[in-house]
Amino acid sequence: MTGGGLLVAGTTSDAGKSVVTAGICRWLVRQGVKVAPFKAQNMSLNSFVTREGAEIGRAQAMQAQACRVEPTALMNPVLLKPGGEQSSQVVLLGKPVGELSARGYHGGRQQQLLGTVLECLAELRGTYDAVICEGAGSPAEINLRRTDIVNMGIARNAGLPVLVVGDIDRGGVFASFFGTVALLSRQDQELIAGFLVNKFRGDVSLLEPGLDMLHDLTGRRTYGVLPFRHGLGIDEEDGLRISLRGAVRESEVSSPFGEDVLRVAVCAVPLMSNFTDVDALAAEPGVVVRFVDRPEELADADLVVVPGTRGTVRALEWLRERGLARALVRRAAEGRPILGICGGFQLLGEHIEDDVESRRGQVEGLGVLPVRVRFAREKTLTRPVGEALGEPVAGYEIHHGVAEVTGGEPFLDGCRVGRTWGTHWHGSLESDGFRRAFLREVAAAAGRRFVPAPDTSFAALREEQLDRLGDLIEQHADTDALWRLIESGAPQGLPFIPPGAPA
């Protein structure tokens, strides 16, 4: 028997699809429904490693947590990791299979993956009571419709009803809803069941005349109006433009547990990956996290984090161009704390031999850590566990660079020299005891009377966020109507809205 399903699409990128999908998942699992998330194709540098060693988007991993199930590669069969303006690494069922330009991908390769995507979705629907799918961008990207495997392409092939989410905080939501439907073919329109308004501020009664008119114009109802809530989110898909928004990134800094705050500066390197590593720092009361791109912004930082990147050599050049490289070398010599994670760890080393990612051959690093890095074609995808600073710690690794550590003190898989630490482990700061021990060392080195709070649980904060998302759906959406959609599909007889698009 095939389980029910729903595709959450959006009028635009960043309309709230990931958050709404997670909220629906958490609402369903609290009703006793066995549910799983799914995104056919994700473009993101923010990824995660499953227990079986597969790389998927972090948003899908967090949606799996909302479902209270273990994430698997089936939930995100295609992951695209941009390496620049023109190309991306294609990760299929959790493993990299090559680099493709946008033209090459949309010119044929994408359509070839449709069978794999549908098989993954069918396997999930055969295992779970419901599968909540997330689209990408907008379903009305008519230039890409022919090769689409993530929006209406998957909905048509799998017979999924589609709920369109619009961000009213941006403005123009009614035009976006209407235009999204009107630009789709008759066959696609038959699956557009209705709309969900996201991020509404104010009195809902003032919105109702517009919702009634939208229903009259399209024959489709609005399934809910979700209010704007600060600090709500899950691990986002991409980049610095959203790095200060979301579950932890938008939260106000709580008062410090000790006498001082601790200031953390994160170098905003190009192609930054897994910027969520610093969320666990921002979750600590009294820790102020900011992203920086100028050397003078490092001056008052108690800790500088050099994060992961999809382009280690490019990030190294960027640091040098900006004057940040000199500031980091000077900071290390002065014994002021620096933490390099993954690509950030690699570029702090002596040299990098890269014939894989940048194909630049041997490049001199910053020489802060006694490490030599050689890029291998095989990607390391693991979930290591260990101990550091006297505390248990767990993380995950996603990298082509193989590090040869020739000195310093051991630190996770990397090393430390003085007050500079380097590791390939993403997510290590989510281990509460280790994070507190690390921050105590940083505070001591910085001369700050900062004391980590003894009871901050990052995992509990994640769960609270997911429950808040579930509450939004339960309290502000028509959940009975949503369940009918999931169980029975789109309503019959939905009107066609001209002009439509060719079938």
Side-chain angles (χ1 to χ4, degrees), residues 38-41 78 105 109-115 117-118 144-155 157:
F38 180 79
K39 186 163 186 174
Q41 171 196 297
V78 181
Y105 184 67
R109 177 60 169 161
Q110 184 179 33
Q111 190 66 18
Q112 295 170 10
L113 298 173
L114 179 60
V117 163
L118 290 172
L144 302 177
R145 176 63 185 90
R146 183 178 61 84
T147 57
D148 170 42
I149 65 169
V150 65
N151 290 308
M152 299 314 299
I154 193 78
N157 278 279

Side-chain angles (χ1 to χ4, degrees), residues 339-501:
L339 172 63
I341 302 174
C342 201
F345 164 47
Q346 295 168 5
L347 61 81
L348 290 174
E350 296 167 353
H351 69 251
I352 300 165
E353 187 179 332
D354 181 11
D355 295 318
V356 176
E357 194 173 76
S358 69
R359 298 182 175 87
R360 294 283 298 276
Q362 186 160 309
V363 177
E364 293 303 308
L366 297 187
V368 172
L369 291 175
V371 176
R372 299 168 185 168
V373 177
R374 176 184 55 82
F375 272 64
R377 298 201 175 276
E378 189 76 16
K379 183 184 279 191
T380 297
L381 296 167
T382 62
R383 291 267 294 268
V385 294
E387 183 177 300
L389 307 181
E391 296 286 347
V393 58
Y396 57 99
E397 296 185 46
I398 306 171
H399 55 91
H400 284 281
V402 178
E404 179 190 357
V405 179
T406 60
E409 300 174 46
F411 177 70
L412 302 176
D413 71 318
C415 66
R416 67 175 291 181
V417 172
R419 298 298 182 182
T420 300
W421 297 264
T423 177
H424 277 126
W425 289 24
H426 294 289
S428 62
L429 294 167
E430 295 179 19
S431 298
D432 297 327
F434 167 73
R435 180 180 66 254
R436 287 192 278 268
F438 178 71
L439 289 177
R440 281 193 291 270
E441 284 216 18
V442 169
R448 294 283 185 188
R449 289 173 295 181
F450 169 86
V451 179
D455 56 355
T456 302
S457 167
F458 190 70
L461 289 173
R462 291 279 199 196
E463 280 296 304
E464 288 174 17
Q465 289 295 98
L466 294 170
D467 277 331
R468 290 176 67 196
L469 293 176
D471 292 343
L472 271 186
I473 297 299
E474 189 169 333
Q475 296 167 11
H476 300 282
D478 186 338
T479 52
D480 289 340
L482 273 180
W483 178 246
R484 286 194 296 272
L485 271 188
I486 294 167
E487 193 174 39
S488 305
Q492 297 297 304
L494 292 170
F496 171 71
I497 309 302

Side-chain angles (χ1 to χ4, degrees), residues 236-250:
E236 310 265 8
E237 291 186 355
D238 283 305
L240 185 58
R241 68 185 178 86
I242 53 173
S243 61
L244 301 181
R245 186 176 68 251
V248 174
R249 293 181 289 281
E250 200 177 62

Side-chain angles (χ1 to χ4, degrees), residues 218-292:
T218 67
R220 290 158 173 86
R221 59 167 299 177
T222 298
Y223 284 78
V225 178
L226 307 186
F228 187 96
R229 291 286 187 267
H230 281 284
L232 268 187
I234 63 171
D235 290 355
E236 310 265 8
E237 291 186 355
D238 283 305
L240 185 58
R241 68 185 178 86
I242 53 173
S243 61
L244 301 181
R245 186 176 68 251
V248 174
R249 293 181 289 281
E250 200 177 62
S251 300
E252 293 183 5
V253 177
S254 303
S255 299
F257 185 78
E259 295 181 48
D260 280 351
V261 298
L262 205 66
R263 295 173 175 85
V264 179
V266 184
C267 295
V269 296
L271 297 173
M272 191 190 315
S273 61
N274 292 72
F275 55 86
T276 46
D277 281 333
V278 298
D279 280 357
L281 295 178
E284 284 285 348
V287 175
V288 182
V289 176
R290 68 182 189 272
F291 288 79
V292 304

Side-chain angles (χ1 to χ4, degrees), residues 6-9 17-18 21 36-44 55-57 59-61 63 72-81 89-95 105-106 109-122 124-125 131-137 147-158 160 237:
L6 174 70
L7 176 70
V8 178
K17 297 183 292 291
S18 296
T21 300
F38 180 79
K39 186 163 186 174
Q41 171 196 297
N42 199 347
M43 177 172 280
S44 178
E55 185 180 7
I56 65 172
Q60 280 60 64
Q63 288 162 358
T72 74
L74 293 174
M75 297 170 183
N76 180 205
V78 181
L79 174 63
L80 305 178
K81 303 194 72 175
Q89 183 180 66
V90 181
V91 179
L92 179 61
L93 293 174
K95 303 296 180 184
Y105 184 67
H106 291 287
R109 177 60 169 161
Q110 184 179 33
Q111 190 66 18
Q112 295 170 10
L113 298 173
L114 179 60
T116 300
V117 163
L118 290 172
E119 288 171 6
C120 292
L121 178 56
L124 288 173
R125 294 182 77 182
V131 178
I132 308 302
C133 308
E134 180 189 341
T147 57
D148 170 42
I149 65 169
V150 65
N151 290 308
M152 299 314 299
I154 193 78
R156 282 271 293 277
N157 278 279
L160 295 172
E237 291 186 355

